[in-house]
Amino acid sequence: MNANNGEERIVHEVALVLPKRTRKEEEEEEDCVEVLVTELKKRGMVVDRDVGLADEFLKVACLVVPRIRQVAAPLETLESAAAELHIRKPTRLGMDLPFEVQGSEAFIQQPDGSLFSWFERFRCYQHLLYGIVNCYGHDVTLKLDGRELCWAPEESLVRKLESEGVIKQMFPLHDELKRKELLRTWALNWWNFTNQPIDKIYSYFGAKIGVYFSFLGMYTQWLLFPALLGFIVQMVNFGSLQYLVLPSFFVITTLWAALFLQFWKRKNAALLARWQINCLVGPSQGYRFLGMEWSSLPFPKELTKNLGNEKFKEKEPYQRYEWFAYRKRFSNDVFVIISIICFQLPFELAYAHTYEMITSNIIKFVLTAVYLLIIQYLTRLGGKVAVKLINREINESVEYRANSLIYKVFGLYFMQTYIGIFYHVLLHRNFTTLRQVLLLRLIISQVFWTFMDGSLSYLKYSYRKFRARKKKRSEGGPSTGKIQIASRVEKEYLKPTYSASIGVELEDGLFDDSLKLALQFGMIMMFACAFPLAFSLAAVSNIMDIRTTALKLLVTLQRPSPRAAATIGAWLNIWQFLVVMSICTNSALLVCLYDKEGKWKMEPGLAAILILEHVLLLLKFGLSRLVPEEPAWVRANRVKNVTQAQDVYSKQLLRSSSSEFASMVKPEQEQQKED
């Protein structure tokens, strides 16, 4: 596929991992690997084979990418798969329609010029691979290293080979040209600080990762103002005006946080409009399934038993199903809250009390490090319990289940992160100790997460390479000298996946990155009056985090599988919650600052703080109404698209109605003529 005088190249985007065969079957038509390669080529895919130290790899491609234009040109294979999947895409008419091969020119292209996004291409690859079935009408015998496998009619070949352990893994491959370009313009481009090639990130990794880095970049940019202000407040001695400076800093940071979240919604809407992603807010779960097939809905048996098709049209089954789902989620949430109060709260208070009793700073540092290690294990255990609870819930999609996991796990982290700090504030009123705790938490957490992001993945990769070399040497390889891994696809296979530390089946690695960012935001916001310098530390940390996370995705990890989410989802609600909590906690800090004797009298200063808290709460919720969530041009485009769609449907309906009316009138006129 080297057209245009060799200016085009084949891009392998998916790889299948197979065990290295000890001997080749005498008849190739019975060799399961040869059968798989043949069937893949029949589906129109380009297959290349690569032999590694311990495994064999099939690299699959459906795209031809011009080296000069850097624009993806889909072949008919992907177009046919998209049509079979009925992938809905935006058209030039302003409507989202199921993709059709014949009308492919009417569909809007991606920002990089390709017809399909990375998420859509990966769906097509999965459909093509798992859609290979036995169409011969009889059992087919497959062989591998002396083993015989029976491939039944209408059975998926890839699923059969996966169940038999022949296919170890299917994973996406990096595109070397695009990866190196992103390394140059993004991961290694430290001079741009918060500026990132978001469109290229979206095209390469998908919408979810693109939206996350856009959020991280905007958050870091907005963080520069309170970071500078916090540095001044912390370092400059204002003397008697200090009692006015801290409340002013508290008001400014609260308004800053409320405005940031509101303007992020606007930017998110602009991104989705630019990427041609239609992300409408769907109705609640109790009503969203009205357009689905009844057989695909997770109705409880006790609700669907003895109910006919006519019964389903009544509102009672809907309501019973809706409240049944809510009751399950509510009972799980109550169980998580009670577990946190009964088990985690005493542990956190014991740590906080021990920390207060210790006088040596070195011992305090060691105690905090040991505490963080123990709490990581306990949190992972709580996350496994949360996943089991979520599996009992009734959620309509993976994203809904992932959001449920986020809420439950964040409750665990919220307790472990902040309860000890609340202990120092409310019980001891020791601002010096509070600042030490915040500084230790920020520094240790940053060091811990940096180690987890970079070092741990690299150590896993190095260990897997060591095992592969050791296995090759034990199988008769050279006893001396270093065994090199020459295959690029094998190197990618040995890299760790971008997975979450909790709930791997529901979330990817963005769960940990988003959790780290939310905990940092809560730390700097809820204790802004006690430690304004935390904003400066957070800004420096985020500037480094943009580059280190980019390097992690491009160098030390496998290319992540794309996710459909086009917003930060449940994390936005958590950030909104943290803003409200920061208003309450900073008001309590100001009370402790003014009421040093702890008499809690309603003096003018304390009354002013109480009034200030209520005013800020009103402003926070008022700004969400005053600042539109969408830019005007996004709303105008949506209205234009809806109007165009209505016009097209109206004309089509008018033509069909006219033809039907003419077909009804014509026989009557002929009958009148005969009479």
Side-chain angles (χ1 to χ4, degrees):
M1 301 181 70
N2 295 324
N4 298 334
N5 297 323
E7 293 297 334
E8 295 183 347
R9 65 188 179 91
I10 298 175
V11 179
H12 298 98
E13 295 190 295
V14 174
L16 299 174
V17 185
L18 308 169
K20 199 171 182 180
R21 290 175 291 175
T22 57
R23 63 186 181 89
K24 191 174 182 180
E25 301 299 329
E26 297 179 358
E27 298 182 4
E28 289 192 356
E29 60 271 12
E30 294 184 356
D31 188 294
C32 65
V33 178
E34 297 296 336
V35 171
L36 176 61
V37 172
T38 302
E39 294 293 335
L40 289 173
K41 291 181 178 180
K42 285 182 181 179
R43 298 279 285 185
M45 287 178 276
V46 181
V47 183
D48 283 348
R49 306 174 74 160
D50 202 345
V51 179
L53 294 181
D55 300 287
E56 185 177 349
F57 304 91
L58 299 182
K59 300 183 293 184
V60 182
C62 289
L63 292 177
V64 175
V65 180
R67 288 181 178 177
I68 296 178
R69 292 178 295 149
Q70 295 295 310
V71 177
L75 298 177
E76 292 183 359
T77 304
L78 280 183
E79 293 181 351
S80 301
E84 293 173 3
L85 288 170
H86 303 289
I87 294 177
R88 299 185 68 88
K89 294 181 60 64
T91 62
R92 304 183 190 279
L93 299 175
M95 297 178 291
D96 285 3
L97 298 176
F99 182 81
E100 294 183 2
V101 178
Q102 296 179 349
S104 59
E105 297 80 5
F107 293 91
I108 299 177
Q109 295 182 341
Q110 298 295 312
D112 63 347
S114 61
L115 183 58
F116 299 105
S117 66
W118 169 228
F119 174 73
E120 292 168 341
R121 295 202 307 274
F122 193 71
R123 281 188 62 193
C124 292
Y125 275 112
Q126 289 179 317
H127 176 73
L128 291 169
L129 292 172
Y130 289 101
I132 299 174
V133 296
N134 183 355
C135 300
Y136 300 106
H138 57 83
D139 293 344
V140 176
T141 301
L142 305 176
K143 296 182 179 180
L144 178 70
D145 290 340
R147 295 169 53 193
E148 290 190 357
L149 310 176
C150 180
W151 184 23
E154 302 301 323
E155 183 181 13
S156 171
L157 176 60
V158 174
R159 294 194 186 278
K160 176 66 177 179
L161 297 181
E162 283 180 339
S163 63
E164 296 291 338
V166 178
I167 296 180
K168 294 183 178 181
Q169 185 182 352
M170 182 188 76
F171 65 97
L173 290 172
H174 279 289
D175 181 354
E176 278 301 296
L177 286 182
K178 291 184 177 180
R179 189 181 72 88
K180 290 179 180 178
E181 182 183 1
L182 283 173
L183 278 172
R184 179 178 55 83
T185 60
W186 178 35
L188 300 178
N189 190 9
W190 288 85
W191 292 107
N192 279 341
F193 292 105
T194 60
N195 293 329
Q196 304 172 86
I198 296 298
D199 288 340
K200 293 181 180 179
I201 297 171
Y202 158 71
S203 299
Y204 191 72
F205 289 111
K208 188 173 183 180
I209 293 180
V211 167
Y212 169 77
F213 278 101
S214 178
F215 178 81
L216 177 58
M218 181 178 175
Y219 170 52
T220 306
Q221 286 178 344
W222 277 62
L223 198 58
L224 296 178
F225 167 69
L228 177 61
L229 189 61
F231 181 82
I232 296 173
V233 172
Q234 186 77 38
M235 295 303 176
V236 178
N237 184 10
F238 292 94
S240 59
L241 295 178
Q242 191 73 19
Y243 289 98
L244 295 177
V245 172
L246 288 179
S248 301
F249 182 72
F250 163 44
V251 172
I252 291 172
T253 54
T254 301
L255 296 178
W256 164 84
L259 286 173
F260 160 68
L261 293 177
Q262 204 61 24
F263 275 92
W264 160 249
K265 295 178 184 178
R266 292 172 59 85
K267 184 171 184 177
N268 197 178
L271 283 175
L272 299 186
R274 190 165 79 226
W275 295 340
Q276 301 297 330
I277 298 177
N278 193 358
C279 186
L280 297 176
V281 179
S284 64
Q285 183 183 1
Y287 300 93
R288 189 169 184 175
F289 54 75
L290 294 178
M292 297 172 60
E293 294 292 336
W294 291 106
S295 59
S296 64
L297 296 175
F299 275 93
K301 294 182 179 179
E302 58 268 24
L303 297 184
T304 58
K305 189 177 180 180
N306 298 327
L307 287 174
N309 292 332
E310 296 297 327
K311 273 283 188 180
F312 275 106
K313 297 179 181 179
E314 301 176 2
K315 66 178 183 180
E316 183 178 357
Y318 289 81
Q319 293 175 341
R320 294 178 64 186
Y321 169 78
E322 177 185 12
W323 288 108
F324 181 82
Y326 286 157
R327 181 173 61 84
K328 279 205 165 192
R329 288 198 297 272
F330 178 76
S331 61
N332 288 342
D333 294 340
V334 170
F335 176 79
V336 171
I337 293 173
I338 293 176
S339 300
I340 291 174
I341 294 175
C342 295
F343 297 101
Q344 191 171 7
L345 181 59
F347 176 78
E348 299 292 342
L349 291 177
Y351 160 74
H353 180 72
T354 305
Y355 185 92
E356 188 68 28
M357 299 297 293
I358 295 175
T359 57
S360 174
N361 291 331
I362 298 177
I363 298 178
K364 286 183 178 181
F365 185 87
V366 173
L367 176 65
T368 303
V370 173
Y371 158 78
L372 289 176
L373 291 175
I374 295 175
I375 207 63
Q376 286 297 319
Y377 172 77
L378 295 178
T379 306
R380 289 174 184 267
L381 181 62
K384 293 180 180 179
V385 175
V387 171
K388 291 183 178 180
L389 292 175
I390 291 170
N391 291 333
R392 296 176 53 200
E393 296 178 355
I394 302 175
N395 292 293
E396 63 187 48
S397 67
V398 176
E399 296 302 326
Y400 272 70
R401 297 173 65 204
N403 288 341
S404 181
L405 175 69
I406 289 171
Y407 290 130
K408 291 177 175 61
V409 175
F410 181 78
L412 300 174
Y413 274 94
F414 182 85
M415 181 66 68
Q416 78 170 53
T417 305
Y418 304 120
I419 191 61
I421 304 176
F422 292 150
Y423 174 85
H424 293 294
V425 173
L426 299 178
L427 188 61
H428 295 282
R429 298 186 171 206
N430 190 337
F431 272 64
T432 303
T433 303
L434 176 59
R435 292 189 182 99
Q436 291 178 355
V437 172
L438 291 172
L439 185 61
L440 280 175
R441 290 290 182 93
L442 287 171
I443 293 176
I444 292 179
S445 297
Q446 180 61 33
V447 172
F448 175 79
W449 286 108
T450 302
F451 174 78
M452 293 290 290
D453 283 348
S455 304
L456 193 59
S457 58
Y458 179 76
L459 290 175
K460 287 182 178 179
Y461 174 51
S462 301
Y463 177 69
R464 291 178 179 178
K465 288 197 299 183
F466 170 76
R467 289 184 58 186
R469 293 190 181 107
K470 184 178 179 181
K471 183 178 180 181
K472 178 66 176 179
R473 188 172 282 110
S474 63
E475 291 176 351
S479 57
T480 60
K482 188 176 181 180
I483 300 176
Q484 297 292 338
I485 300 178
S487 172
R488 183 180 66 85
V489 65
E490 185 173 21
K491 291 180 180 179
E492 291 194 29
Y493 169 63
L494 295 175
K495 293 178 182 179
T497 58
Y498 188 48
S499 57
S501 59
I502 297 174
V504 179
E505 59 272 28
L506 298 178
E507 271 289 349
D508 55 16
L510 281 182
F511 176 85
D512 295 324
D513 293 328
S514 301
L515 176 63
K516 173 183 63 175
L517 210 59
L519 293 175
Q520 179 204 87
F521 179 75
M523 188 83 69
I524 65 176
M525 283 298 300
M526 289 199 294
F527 307 99
C529 291
F531 193 42
L533 188 62
F535 287 87
S536 302
L537 297 176
V540 175
S541 172
N542 288 350
I543 292 174
M544 296 179 60
D545 190 54
I546 291 175
R547 309 304 166 187
T548 55
T549 307
L551 284 171
K552 176 180 67 175
L553 289 173
L554 292 170
V555 177
T556 61
L557 296 177
Q558 291 182 8
R559 187 179 183 181
S561 299
R563 296 286 296 273
T567 64
I568 59 174
W571 293 110
L572 183 60
N573 295 331
I574 289 174
W575 282 57
Q576 300 278 14
F577 163 76
L578 291 174
V579 174
V580 176
M581 284 294 299
S582 69
I583 296 175
C584 301
T585 55
N586 281 286
S587 299
L589 286 172
L590 290 176
V591 169
C592 295
L593 186 64
Y594 282 98
D595 187 28
K596 294 183 178 180
E597 297 180 359
K599 296 181 179 180
W600 300 93
K601 293 182 179 180
M602 190 56 65
E603 297 178 355
L606 301 183
I609 294 174
L610 184 62
I611 295 173
L612 178 64
E613 177 189 21
H614 286 70
V615 170
L616 287 176
L617 287 173
L618 290 175
L619 285 175
K620 192 271 173 196
F621 292 106
L623 287 174
S624 62
R625 297 292 181 266
L626 293 176
V627 180
E629 296 186 2
E630 288 182 330
W633 67 271
V634 174
R635 291 197 301 272
N637 284 343
R638 191 175 67 251
V639 172
K640 177 184 176 182
N641 293 339
V642 171
T643 303
Q644 289 179 345
Q646 289 177 346
D647 292 341
V648 171
Y649 281 127
S650 299
K651 292 178 181 178
Q652 185 178 1
L653 181 61
L654 182 62
R655 286 195 296 267
S656 61
S657 300
S658 300
S659 60
E660 291 180 2
F661 180 76
S663 62
M664 294 173 60
V665 172
K666 188 174 181 180
E668 295 180 358
Q669 292 177 347
E670 293 178 353
Q671 183 67 30
Q672 291 177 359
K673 290 180 180 179
E674 292 178 359
D675 295 341

